[in-house]
Amino acid sequence: MKVKEKEKKENIPLTCGAVITQPGSTKKYKTGEWRTFIPIIDQEKCIKCGKCWMNCPDGAIFKTPEGKFMINYAYCKGCLICEKVCPVKAISHKVEEK
Amino acid sequence: MKVKEKEKKENIPLTCGAVITQPGSTKKYKTGEWRTFIPIIDQEKCIKCGKCWMNCPDGAIFKTPEGKFMINYAYCKGCLICEKVCPVKAISHKVEEK
Amino acid sequence: MKQVLFLGRGGQGAVTSAQILAIATFKDGKYSQAFPNFGVERMGAPVRSYCRIDEKEITLREQVYEANYAIILDPTLVKQLTEKVTELIIVNSNKKPEELGIVTDAKVKCVDITSIALKVIGKPFVNIAAIGAFSALTGEVSINAIDEAIKQQMGHKGTLVEKNILAIKEVYENAKRE
Amino acid sequence: MKQVLFLGRGGQGAVTSAQILAIATFKDGKYSQAFPNFGVERMGAPVRSYCRIDEKEITLREQVYEANYAIILDPTLVKQLTEKVTELIIVNSNKKPEELGIVTDAKVKCVDITSIALKVIGKPFVNIAAIGAFSALTGEVSINAIDEAIKQQMGHKGTLVEKNILAIKEVYENAKRE
Amino acid sequence: MSEKKVISGAEGVAIAVKLCKPKVLPMYPITPSTLVPEKLSEFVFNGEIDSKMIHVESEHSAISALYGAYATGVRSFTATASQGLALMHEILPIVSGSRFPAVMFVANRALSGPLSIWNDHSDSMSERDQGWIQLHCESNQEAFDTIIMAYRIAESKKVLLPVMVCADGFYLTHAYEPIQIEDQEKVDAFLPDYTPEHYLDTTNPKTFGAFAQPNSYMEFKEEEEKAMREAIREIIKVSKEFDKSFGRKYGNGLVEGINLEEAEYAVLGVGSVCGTIREVIKELNEQGKKIGLIKLKSIRPLPVEDLKILCKDLKILGVIDKHASIGFGGALTNDIRSALMGEKVKVEGFVAGLGGRDINKEKIKELINTIMKNKEGYWLK
Amino acid sequence: MSEKKVISGAEGVAIAVKLCKPKVLPMYPITPSTLVPEKLSEFVFNGEIDSKMIHVESEHSAISALYGAYATGVRSFTATASQGLALMHEILPIVSGSRFPAVMFVANRALSGPLSIWNDHSDSMSERDQGWIQLHCESNQEAFDTIIMAYRIAESKKVLLPVMVCADGFYLTHAYEPIQIEDQEKVDAFLPDYTPEHYLDTTNPKTFGAFAQPNSYMEFKEEEEKAMREAIREIIKVSKEFDKSFGRKYGNGLVEGINLEEAEYAVLGVGSVCGTIREVIKELNEQGKKIGLIKLKSIRPLPVEDLKILCKDLKILGVIDKHASIGFGGALTNDIRSALMGEKVKVEGFVAGLGGRDINKEKIKELINTIMKNKEGYWLK
Amino acid sequence: MAILGIDEKEYFASGHRACAGCGEALAIRHILKAAGPKTIIAQATGCMEVVSTPYPESSWEVPWVHCAFENTAAVASGVRAALDAKGDKETNIIAIGGDGASFDIGFGSLSGALERGTRMLYIATDNEAYMNTGIQRSGATFPYANTTTSPAGKVIPGKTQPKKPLPFIAAAHGIKYVATASVMNLMDLHMKVKKALSINGPTMIVVLVPCVPGWKIDSSSTIDVAIKAFETSISPLYEIEEGVLTINQKPSEKKKVEEYLMMQGRFKHLLPEHIKKIQEYVDARWKYLEENNGKKVFDNLF
Amino acid sequence: MAILGIDEKEYFASGHRACAGCGEALAIRHILKAAGPKTIIAQATGCMEVVSTPYPESSWEVPWVHCAFENTAAVASGVRAALDAKGDKETNIIAIGGDGASFDIGFGSLSGALERGTRMLYIATDNEAYMNTGIQRSGATFPYANTTTSPAGKVIPGKTQPKKPLPFIAAAHGIKYVATASVMNLMDLHMKVKKALSINGPTMIVVLVPCVPGWKIDSSSTIDVAIKAFETSISPLYEIEEGVLTINQKPSEKKKVEEYLMMQGRFKHLLPEHIKKIQEYVDARWKYLEENNGKKVFDNLF
Ligand SMILES: Cc1ncc(C[n+]2csc(CCOP(=O)(O)OP(=O)(O)O)c2C)c(N)n1
Ligand SMILES: Cc1ncc(C[n+]2csc(CCOP(=O)(O)OP(=O)(O)O)c2C)c(N)n1
Ligand code: SF4
Ligand code: SF4
Ligand code: SF4
Ligand code: SF4
Ligand code: SF4
Ligand code: SF4
Ligand SMILES: [Mg+2]
Ligand SMILES: [Mg+2]
């Protein structure tokens, strides 16, 4: 596919002065694609301390209404900081398979 | 006289990059012309302390080989700092007459 | 169109003179334009300023190369006058015109503005008072207009304005008598 | 002229791959030109780089819109390949080509470069080793030239250079066998 | 209330600014624009104007603070000259690229080196590419009026580009002459409140100053160029309305032809020099010489169509260029030549008035003589 | 020793700089020029070059330190791009006004806003007035060679003007291709030591950077313009000598005509795009179309006479403009139109390639089609 | 809603393009949480700008403005003046710049804003080099670090100058609040951001943010490295409030700098003599801090 | 030859166009004498540049270079590097800027040069406003002073911020020598210039230089006003050497600030409340100096 066509297809909407009117719109872009390692939380081991949530640079960990900490794999880049900071080693990792 | 002619007459020599090759050449310009008051040193009273020489912003006071402090009226602007700083009031002033 | 040149020392107010003259002549119903010689002069150095006066709108923007009138605010500056003056040169001086050694085809008049200023204002502020002499000797501007001009320009300075107005009047009378 | 596309992740060295290929083909006596896709990508994001190879001097400066060969350094990036490829797509993968689901008219070959790299280099450095596969499968560049190119580009890195050269050879052999 | 007063050009500009009620005033001194911030400081420190003054530490910060103020959605103002404008250079296309309708006053002064505090157009001309509308003034009345028009033009929804109002340093800024000062009410009626669509707002968070990839950058630039085309129409419109409200106009707002009806030759000038050219033309016309004047007010957008019409019967046009693009002569001349390529008129450029060199009547006559003899332009010193 | 190697354009530039033995290297990073200071840092930190590196805190200080080094009388170098060059803006004419023969490498990149790290010519084109010779390069070999020629040209006693060597960011800086790297001895023979007449010297104290009053400023600027005229001759001379020493040349050093002999139409390009145009021209020539290429290397001085000669048999010239003077279209187009005013050739401008938009063969064909149909230029997106 | 007392809502959206493991992105995420939604951000060019605003996408859930590299504090001054003119006293303004933007190119503009008393919180996110352009030396680069413009060369072993002491330089301006922080202690960062925003005047926080490619560390060790920086006193946590210095937290056991240095590729060329010099340098700075703990180190109030 | 131990030769020639009584010109005259002929001066735009270099005349008897307003320290860095490259270790480099150039617009460039350790003496000649352009407020302007951009207005009584504490800000960079000086004590100025030039690295002196039109004083009272500034502790004389603060000279009797303020037209609008505030401000700063006299106030050596 030619970039030129692609460019035309993309047809980026232009705002005046290149203002972005949609806050937080990078959410459209799934950085989970970048991952080479995938972290996995062992909910059994987890003590719900929230440290993984605190330390994730990508805001890819969230707390469920039930109080569980889970990983949003759409954004998790697999840095494995969460694994390192977990005080009870509830997080482990594997090589990503896509 | 027209400035234009004057400009032509002046015929400022141009150096490459407007470098000034003559150090201290403002000496050509006699700031004594600016004076409205003229300071006068009373050599009788003067104790040769050099304070007037120290404090003149125009370097218009000099020491003669005999050790006298004298004013170079070509440059003295008549600020009268020298008069103020003289510890023995050896300097007085008059209105300039040209 | 008449062109007026003020010659004074940096700090002496020659620029203000031209401005006040421009304001005054406008109040007299004429067109006027005042501007300084654009320089980097410091206090004490010679400074020029100019005023153009005309019956019709002034669009000319070139510098003043030749003046109808010159007003020299400081007698020590006489030698600095290099411009051609066609009608009248007014010098703030207690001397006689011939004593000043000015080479010119114009008339030369001396008015001892400094003395009057010292007497009336208490300080050697001659720049505004000099306009009184100009008014008296040329008739290019009215004394009333000068008063109003001073008020517009210096409005907030209270007694100094009053004193300047008095000085102008006295200089005017004095110059008339010449 | 042949155009080669490398597709990898930021940090994986796709840019270096293209550079080394360009150096190597030049050592083989051809003309070459390598350049990255000009982006702001960070470590982890998909990154493209290109190499042009020709018998005559290359003056073309447009971007690569269509490649003869594509080399995908990371099997997870297969879906990111949007450019048209005309001859061959080489994928670093331990899978079979048909398992990858690539829709293309070009041939697709898989070489398990990561395993070889891990074995020979001890780290998953696949970007240089991949050129071995390219050499084996296309014949566009000689293995010796690649060796020399690595030395020119990484000269100062000692054992790593050696290991990469070994890895290239092994990948080459491996790919040849396919 | 409305009155005509003899004041300095700088004061006139400051009063005009005050009448436009800007909210933020980042200020930094530089000769010969300093009188404007000084006067505005007086207004602020005396409580005569409801604006926040920012005493920035450099012009780079002045234009940056201006940018910040516009991002926050308020009308603002700054003034500068020469080195100050040059120091703002990097930020100028960011302001225009952001489509902030800022207004800045430039007291034209030569660029160093060598250092010069005197007038020419090298400061603003060097910024002619940066997406700012650039309007020049012949007189202080025109400077006063142009400030007010500038906000209207800039803030027009069709335009949304910043405007540089230029006036010759010293020649205008320091000259006292009569200026008609307009009523606040009349100005208010002419200039509506500034109501931007986008601004920094915690209740509707937007992102300003994002980066554009190759897939959109060029389109944004094209939008700017289109806005400049709109500006041509808008300037004419605003100029007409200004005339209706205040009874004054400057050609069509972009350019003015003077005594061109019969003319075979004409001089094109920008700014205060036009006043002097007028005098010369008058004299020469009286002598029966067929000379006209084209007073170019808008450097950007360049009114190409108007220029073509004004020049259609001319043999030769002599351009007075107060700025040289070193290595290719007068910059304005090049623009005019490009605009008139294919027309029958010949364009000769005369670089003049650099670094405060006075362009007097005599020099203008020399120029006219030259073009009338069909000779080439040169550096008119 | 002399060898031909596949390296990046930036590395080629750094090696060329090293061969010229500059004494002072003020450096500041910015994409896409950063690879040059990085490579030079390697040389310095490894002791391979006898130069002092200054880790300045901004490009403004980089150019200022460069100025200081030249005032002290030593050959020096810096490199930058885009915002960095823009931040230097105020100091650029001070360097040229001081007649310091500095050499700076510019990796061309678009100016913000919106922010873009990608290639176009808005950074260097925006400085075309500031008294710098501006030479563009089509290939990395040309960039390498032009750095060496630049010092010769700049330091020629007849010229003494700074030179900006421009190469397209990414397209060249980041491209690996074969570069013939020359011997130190040969470069030394070609480029004599730098021996300035004036420099800061306590045994002969001189004053640098004085201010010029209206009675001399204009003359200094005229001297610069004259030096640019000299530069035209000098560039041709240096280019010939370079060819003699190294066996390579780029037209006459200023401009090159390609396949113009039969051409009725031609494309004028600057920099790397010329390579792509060459390909297109070749194809079209083979199809029997009479199309040529004018590769403009020197933006300043603009080789007006050469352009006239090259264009004398053309019907239409299409200019590819990688920079727009917003409010008056392509800036290069305007220059070329001005240069060719009165000639029979028609000049059409095409703004293209802004902010990294690729100018591919297809677009060039589109352009050629347009001019062959005698249609107007436009924004070629 | 809150987790560990911290706003659960994300104001720095996922999908940003920072490297996996980016310390700077982590700091930004928490700065925004601490500041809350009534906040305007003005940010300098640098990694964080580039990873978060590829038009037409933005990671920012609060109003955000970028202008250039060197003028963020000036832009913030304009924003503040405009808010003042509108009578808005509520909205926070946080100016953020990397170390390049803050220690080097933008320091003139920052110093000007501190001088004139712009009410804003300025945060320098310090990853000790120009990362966005590929790891060049800045004034904040740690001594001897290998960067692309201060390479570990044969004759010069990396950066030769000490780290510019920005917090002290800022405090010397006489501003009311200056603090250091680190991604090592995010609670502390929260507290400091909140405190700074409560003050009427310019305030400043310098946050240490490890960078994966820049420091040549594994993406997972961002926090570990920051902890080690604290434990070795390389990155002490302190505040200077109205001129009074307070060390917030002392390492329980002071570790050798070597432990920190050896974790990072950028220091792998160091010889024992270099490590010794660094230890002395760090010890001297720590000694100064301890000696002046609780004392008024600056005074310029009016 | 010497007078009072001072070089008799003038290096700043007469004929310069400074106002009669200019304190700044006086300082320059003595700085040059102290430095001697093996000195290169790099100077920012400002009064001193304008009064001394109207082409084709120059007041300078030593090599002198000017570039712009905001970059003098960077120019000096270039000069130093070039001398280093030539192997010249003898020549002094003094960069001089007014307070506008040094406290405000050129501070970024100055800070950069201090950070990278350029061997130069930077002298800020402080007349507390932009004088060359007609007395506008700078960061160095004394609080409440009437300037043309901080006029004594009906609602704001002159400058509202304190004086930017430049010597401390410079010292906080960790440089080896910072001092204040004044035309009040020219011998002290000589000593400090000589000391600074003997140090291998960046050094800085801030000299108080009264300005006749700017301060609205009589041309004859330049020295008197400077003396009063010292006696009231408004202009204390101190050095910070390797971080250690030393007060050089204390006023025998501490006078009230009022005495100083009332000498000058720029303060004539002040009300008693303003004077009181200034007295408190000055007292607090003096107290800080006295308390820290002899102490290490900074540490960042490497
Ligand atoms: C005037 C100018 N110079 C240089 C640049 C190029 N540039 C952009 S970001 C950057 C580095 C940013 O470093 P830092 O502030 O430390 O932030 P980081 O990327 O490390 O987070 C540079 C050099 C620029 N954009 N503008
Ligand atoms: C970028 C820039 N901005 C403004 C100016 C105008 N300018 C020249 S000197 C000066 C004031 C100098 O003040 P200071 O540094 O305090 O020196 P002083 O004149 O008081 O001795 C100003 C504002 C300039 N030359 N360049
Ligand atoms: S691996 Fe990194 S990005 Fe993924 S959830 Fe853990 S901390 Fe977040
Ligand atoms: S850090 Fe570990 S224990 Fe704590 S919430 Fe996360 S997974 Fe659970
Ligand atoms: S009056 Fe002033 S200028 Fe004259 S000698 Fe005395 S101190 Fe010097
Ligand atoms: S100050 Fe007075 S006593 Fe001292 S040398 Fe001068 S005139 Fe003589
Ligand atoms: S380079 Fe460093 S600072 Fe930049 S995004 Fe990557 S980790 Fe973060
Ligand atoms: S204005 Fe002040 S600083 Fe400038 S020359 Fe006059 S006295 Fe000196
Ligand atoms: Mg950084
Ligand atoms: Mg000052």
Side-chain angles (χ1 to χ4, degrees), chain D residues 34 38 59 61-63 65 153, chain F residues 6 118 176-177 275-276 358 360-361:
Chain D
F38 319 141
T59 71
R61 297 281 171 195
E62 64 171 22
Q63 285 166 31
Y65 295 94
Q153 192 67 350
Chain F
V6 171
W118 292 275
Y176 273 61
E177 58 187 28
T276 311
D358 196 32
N360 52 29
K361 281 161 62 173

PDB file of all heavy atoms in Angstrom, chain D residues 34 38 59 61-63 65 153, chain F residues 6 118 176-177 275-276 358 360-361:
ATOM      1  N   ALA D  34      20.826   3.161   2.789  1.00  0.00           N
ATOM      2  CA  ALA D  34      19.958   2.683   3.865  1.00  0.00           C
ATOM      3  C   ALA D  34      19.438   3.880   4.621  1.00  0.00           C
ATOM      4  O   ALA D  34      20.133   4.891   4.761  1.00  0.00           O
ATOM      5  CB  ALA D  34      20.741   1.794   4.822  1.00  0.00           C
ATOM      6  N   PHE D  38      11.525   7.800   9.290  1.00  0.00           N
ATOM      7  CA  PHE D  38      11.816   8.915  10.177  1.00  0.00           C
ATOM      8  C   PHE D  38      10.693   9.088  11.184  1.00  0.00           C
ATOM      9  O   PHE D  38       9.654   9.650  10.850  1.00  0.00           O
ATOM     10  CB  PHE D  38      11.989  10.179   9.360  1.00  0.00           C
ATOM     11  CG  PHE D  38      12.764   9.983   8.087  1.00  0.00           C
ATOM     12  CD1 PHE D  38      12.397  10.645   6.930  1.00  0.00           C
ATOM     13  CD2 PHE D  38      13.872   9.141   8.050  1.00  0.00           C
ATOM     14  CE1 PHE D  38      13.113  10.468   5.751  1.00  0.00           C
ATOM     15  CE2 PHE D  38      14.593   8.965   6.869  1.00  0.00           C
ATOM     16  CZ  PHE D  38      14.209   9.635   5.712  1.00  0.00           C
ATOM     17  N   THR D  59      20.250   7.612  -6.813  1.00  0.00           N
ATOM     18  CA  THR D  59      19.991   9.023  -6.498  1.00  0.00           C
ATOM     19  C   THR D  59      18.586   9.193  -5.937  1.00  0.00           C
ATOM     20  O   THR D  59      18.267  10.234  -5.389  1.00  0.00           O
ATOM     21  CB  THR D  59      20.158   9.939  -7.741  1.00  0.00           C
ATOM     22  OG1 THR D  59      19.063   9.687  -8.630  1.00  0.00           O
ATOM     23  CG2 THR D  59      21.469   9.695  -8.442  1.00  0.00           C
ATOM     24  N   ARG D  61      15.481   9.494  -3.710  1.00  0.00           N
ATOM     25  CA  ARG D  61      15.378   9.840  -2.291  1.00  0.00           C
ATOM     26  C   ARG D  61      13.974   9.674  -1.738  1.00  0.00           C
ATOM     27  O   ARG D  61      13.724  10.051  -0.618  1.00  0.00           O
ATOM     28  CB  ARG D  61      15.790  11.297  -2.074  1.00  0.00           C
ATOM     29  CG  ARG D  61      17.212  11.613  -2.414  1.00  0.00           C
ATOM     30  CD  ARG D  61      18.163  11.192  -1.323  1.00  0.00           C
ATOM     31  NE  ARG D  61      19.534  11.329  -1.798  1.00  0.00           N
ATOM     32  CZ  ARG D  61      20.586  10.789  -1.198  1.00  0.00           C
ATOM     33  NH1 ARG D  61      20.441  10.090  -0.093  1.00  0.00           N
ATOM     34  NH2 ARG D  61      21.788  10.940  -1.688  1.00  0.00           N
ATOM     35  N   GLU D  62      13.062   9.234  -2.537  1.00  0.00           N
ATOM     36  CA  GLU D  62      11.714   9.088  -1.986  1.00  0.00           C
ATOM     37  C   GLU D  62      11.706   7.932  -0.999  1.00  0.00           C
ATOM     38  O   GLU D  62      12.620   7.111  -0.963  1.00  0.00           O
ATOM     39  CB  GLU D  62      10.677   8.875  -3.096  1.00  0.00           C
ATOM     40  CG  GLU D  62      10.861   7.595  -3.880  1.00  0.00           C
ATOM     41  CD  GLU D  62       9.697   7.296  -4.837  1.00  0.00           C
ATOM     42  OE1 GLU D  62       8.967   8.221  -5.221  1.00  0.00           O
ATOM     43  OE2 GLU D  62       9.548   6.121  -5.213  1.00  0.00           O
ATOM     44  N   GLN D  63      10.668   7.882  -0.202  1.00  0.00           N
ATOM     45  CA  GLN D  63      10.563   6.796   0.747  1.00  0.00           C
ATOM     46  C   GLN D  63      10.247   5.496   0.017  1.00  0.00           C
ATOM     47  O   GLN D  63       9.986   5.497  -1.186  1.00  0.00           O
ATOM     48  CB  GLN D  63       9.526   7.159   1.812  1.00  0.00           C
ATOM     49  CG  GLN D  63      10.121   8.188   2.780  1.00  0.00           C
ATOM     50  CD  GLN D  63       9.116   8.858   3.662  1.00  0.00           C
ATOM     51  OE1 GLN D  63       8.106   8.277   4.031  1.00  0.00           O
ATOM     52  NE2 GLN D  63       9.402  10.104   4.006  1.00  0.00           N
ATOM     53  N   TYR D  65       7.924   2.755  -0.956  1.00  0.00           N
ATOM     54  CA  TYR D  65       6.485   2.505  -0.982  1.00  0.00           C
ATOM     55  C   TYR D  65       6.170   1.035  -1.251  1.00  0.00           C
ATOM     56  O   TYR D  65       5.088   0.564  -1.013  1.00  0.00           O
ATOM     57  CB  TYR D  65       5.821   3.385  -2.043  1.00  0.00           C
ATOM     58  CG  TYR D  65       5.925   4.849  -1.718  1.00  0.00           C
ATOM     59  CD1 TYR D  65       6.962   5.632  -2.221  1.00  0.00           C
ATOM     60  CD2 TYR D  65       4.994   5.456  -0.870  1.00  0.00           C
ATOM     61  CE1 TYR D  65       7.069   6.967  -1.894  1.00  0.00           C
ATOM     62  CE2 TYR D  65       5.096   6.796  -0.540  1.00  0.00           C
ATOM     63  CZ  TYR D  65       6.128   7.550  -1.058  1.00  0.00           C
ATOM     64  OH  TYR D  65       6.226   8.870  -0.740  1.00  0.00           O
ATOM     65  N   GLN D 153      31.078  -1.449  11.279  1.00  0.00           N
ATOM     66  CA  GLN D 153      30.065  -0.720  12.025  1.00  0.00           C
ATOM     67  C   GLN D 153      30.219  -0.887  13.530  1.00  0.00           C
ATOM     68  O   GLN D 153      29.960   0.027  14.280  1.00  0.00           O
ATOM     69  CB  GLN D 153      28.675  -1.207  11.573  1.00  0.00           C
ATOM     70  CG  GLN D 153      27.522  -0.355  12.044  1.00  0.00           C
ATOM     71  CD  GLN D 153      27.540   1.028  11.408  1.00  0.00           C
ATOM     72  OE1 GLN D 153      28.507   1.423  10.754  1.00  0.00           O
ATOM     73  NE2 GLN D 153      26.493   1.781  11.616  1.00  0.00           N
TER      74      GLN D 153
ATOM     75  N   VAL F   6      30.489   3.274   3.307  1.00  0.00           N
ATOM     76  CA  VAL F   6      29.063   3.532   3.527  1.00  0.00           C
ATOM     77  C   VAL F   6      28.889   3.975   4.971  1.00  0.00           C
ATOM     78  O   VAL F   6      29.094   3.194   5.905  1.00  0.00           O
ATOM     79  CB  VAL F   6      28.220   2.270   3.240  1.00  0.00           C
ATOM     80  CG1 VAL F   6      26.782   2.478   3.684  1.00  0.00           C
ATOM     81  CG2 VAL F   6      28.267   1.939   1.751  1.00  0.00           C
ATOM     82  N   TRP F 118      10.343  16.737  11.199  1.00  0.00           N
ATOM     83  CA  TRP F 118      10.671  16.237   9.872  1.00  0.00           C
ATOM     84  C   TRP F 118      11.194  17.313   8.935  1.00  0.00           C
ATOM     85  O   TRP F 118      11.159  18.506   9.231  1.00  0.00           O
ATOM     86  CB  TRP F 118       9.441  15.522   9.318  1.00  0.00           C
ATOM     87  CG  TRP F 118       9.176  14.258  10.094  1.00  0.00           C
ATOM     88  CD1 TRP F 118       9.735  13.042   9.893  1.00  0.00           C
ATOM     89  CD2 TRP F 118       8.315  14.109  11.237  1.00  0.00           C
ATOM     90  NE1 TRP F 118       9.273  12.129  10.824  1.00  0.00           N
ATOM     91  CE2 TRP F 118       8.412  12.753  11.660  1.00  0.00           C
ATOM     92  CE3 TRP F 118       7.478  14.976  11.960  1.00  0.00           C
ATOM     93  CZ2 TRP F 118       7.695  12.253  12.756  1.00  0.00           C
ATOM     94  CZ3 TRP F 118       6.778  14.477  13.051  1.00  0.00           C
ATOM     95  CH2 TRP F 118       6.880  13.130  13.439  1.00  0.00           C
ATOM     96  N   TYR F 176      22.493   6.108   5.049  1.00  0.00           N
ATOM     97  CA  TYR F 176      23.811   5.500   4.838  1.00  0.00           C
ATOM     98  C   TYR F 176      24.023   5.336   3.356  1.00  0.00           C
ATOM     99  O   TYR F 176      23.178   4.746   2.673  1.00  0.00           O
ATOM    100  CB  TYR F 176      23.862   4.127   5.504  1.00  0.00           C
ATOM    101  CG  TYR F 176      24.272   4.184   6.950  1.00  0.00           C
ATOM    102  CD1 TYR F 176      23.514   4.888   7.871  1.00  0.00           C
ATOM    103  CD2 TYR F 176      25.438   3.551   7.390  1.00  0.00           C
ATOM    104  CE1 TYR F 176      23.900   4.961   9.207  1.00  0.00           C
ATOM    105  CE2 TYR F 176      25.827   3.609   8.721  1.00  0.00           C
ATOM    106  CZ  TYR F 176      25.052   4.319   9.623  1.00  0.00           C
ATOM    107  OH  TYR F 176      25.441   4.384  10.931  1.00  0.00           O
ATOM    108  N   GLU F 177      25.120   5.831   2.868  1.00  0.00           N
ATOM    109  CA  GLU F 177      25.443   5.613   1.465  1.00  0.00           C
ATOM    110  C   GLU F 177      26.941   5.821   1.298  1.00  0.00           C
ATOM    111  O   GLU F 177      27.596   6.328   2.208  1.00  0.00           O
ATOM    112  CB  GLU F 177      24.614   6.554   0.567  1.00  0.00           C
ATOM    113  CG  GLU F 177      24.793   8.032   0.855  1.00  0.00           C
ATOM    114  CD  GLU F 177      23.822   8.886   0.044  1.00  0.00           C
ATOM    115  OE1 GLU F 177      22.742   8.409  -0.294  1.00  0.00           O
ATOM    116  OE2 GLU F 177      24.166  10.039  -0.244  1.00  0.00           O
ATOM    117  N   GLY F 275      17.761  14.404  -6.368  1.00  0.00           N
ATOM    118  CA  GLY F 275      18.047  13.016  -6.720  1.00  0.00           C
ATOM    119  C   GLY F 275      16.822  12.336  -7.292  1.00  0.00           C
ATOM    120  O   GLY F 275      16.885  11.633  -8.314  1.00  0.00           O
ATOM    121  N   THR F 276      15.694  12.544  -6.647  1.00  0.00           N
ATOM    122  CA  THR F 276      14.457  11.938  -7.133  1.00  0.00           C
ATOM    123  C   THR F 276      14.035  12.562  -8.466  1.00  0.00           C
ATOM    124  O   THR F 276      13.591  11.862  -9.380  1.00  0.00           O
ATOM    125  CB  THR F 276      13.356  12.085  -6.061  1.00  0.00           C
ATOM    126  OG1 THR F 276      13.878  11.649  -4.807  1.00  0.00           O
ATOM    127  CG2 THR F 276      12.124  11.281  -6.404  1.00  0.00           C
ATOM    128  N   ASP F 358       6.572  13.442   1.994  1.00  0.00           N
ATOM    129  CA  ASP F 358       7.523  12.896   1.018  1.00  0.00           C
ATOM    130  C   ASP F 358       7.233  13.456  -0.384  1.00  0.00           C
ATOM    131  O   ASP F 358       6.082  13.503  -0.820  1.00  0.00           O
ATOM    132  CB  ASP F 358       7.395  11.368   1.003  1.00  0.00           C
ATOM    133  CG  ASP F 358       8.580  10.699   0.340  1.00  0.00           C
ATOM    134  OD1 ASP F 358       9.698  11.246   0.427  1.00  0.00           O
ATOM    135  OD2 ASP F 358       8.386   9.629  -0.278  1.00  0.00           O
ATOM    136  N   ASN F 360       7.631  12.355  -3.745  1.00  0.00           N
ATOM    137  CA  ASN F 360       8.005  11.148  -4.469  1.00  0.00           C
ATOM    138  C   ASN F 360       7.928  11.378  -5.984  1.00  0.00           C
ATOM    139  O   ASN F 360       7.555  12.448  -6.460  1.00  0.00           O
ATOM    140  CB  ASN F 360       7.119   9.976  -4.031  1.00  0.00           C
ATOM    141  CG  ASN F 360       5.657  10.322  -4.114  1.00  0.00           C
ATOM    142  OD1 ASN F 360       5.260  11.146  -4.945  1.00  0.00           O
ATOM    143  ND2 ASN F 360       4.847   9.730  -3.260  1.00  0.00           N
ATOM    144  N   LYS F 361       8.315  10.357  -6.699  1.00  0.00           N
ATOM    145  CA  LYS F 361       8.356  10.476  -8.150  1.00  0.00           C
ATOM    146  C   LYS F 361       7.001  10.866  -8.716  1.00  0.00           C
ATOM    147  O   LYS F 361       6.902  11.697  -9.632  1.00  0.00           O
ATOM    148  CB  LYS F 361       8.805   9.136  -8.758  1.00  0.00           C
ATOM    149  CG  LYS F 361      10.309   8.955  -8.660  1.00  0.00           C
ATOM    150  CD  LYS F 361      10.783   7.518  -8.811  1.00  0.00           C
ATOM    151  CE  LYS F 361      10.477   6.876 -10.140  1.00  0.00           C
ATOM    152  NZ  LYS F 361      11.149   5.527 -10.215  1.00  0.00           N
TER     153      LYS F 361
END
